Amino acid sequence: MNKINPKKLLNSKWTAVNPVKKEKHFLVTEVEFEENEVIHCLIEAVIFKRTQAIDWNDLKNKDRWLLGWK
């Protein structure tokens, strides 16, 4: 399990363990909080600039995401 501090989530770098459409490296570009809870998290593919909303708790799963760019 990846340990993540929600307050440090913005601009963090992630690597997808199983890339889809050759998109492997991602950057968290948007995080919204409500009462100290993350309610919205947006990641962007570094090369193709495609964005998608993600449940930030999914980033804790080491089988799907690695912290940093590998």
Side-chain angles (χ1 to χ4, degrees), residues 48-59:
F48 298 111
K49 304 294 184 196
R50 184 180 64 85
T51 60
Q52 68 184 45
I54 187 171
D55 180 354
W56 80 279
N57 289 307
D58 288 345
L59 296 173

Side-chain angles (χ1 to χ4, degrees), residues 21-50:
K21 298 181 183 177
K22 298 183 181 180
E23 294 177 331
K24 182 176 181 177
H25 297 110
F26 293 84
L27 185 68
V28 176
T29 57
E30 241 179 70
V31 180
E32 291 181 25
F33 292 91
E34 186 173 291
E35 297 179 13
N36 294 327
E37 294 282 327
V38 176
I39 59 167
H40 175 72
C41 182
L42 192 69
I43 60 172
E44 179 179 300
V46 174
I47 294 177
F48 298 111
K49 304 294 184 196
R50 184 180 64 85

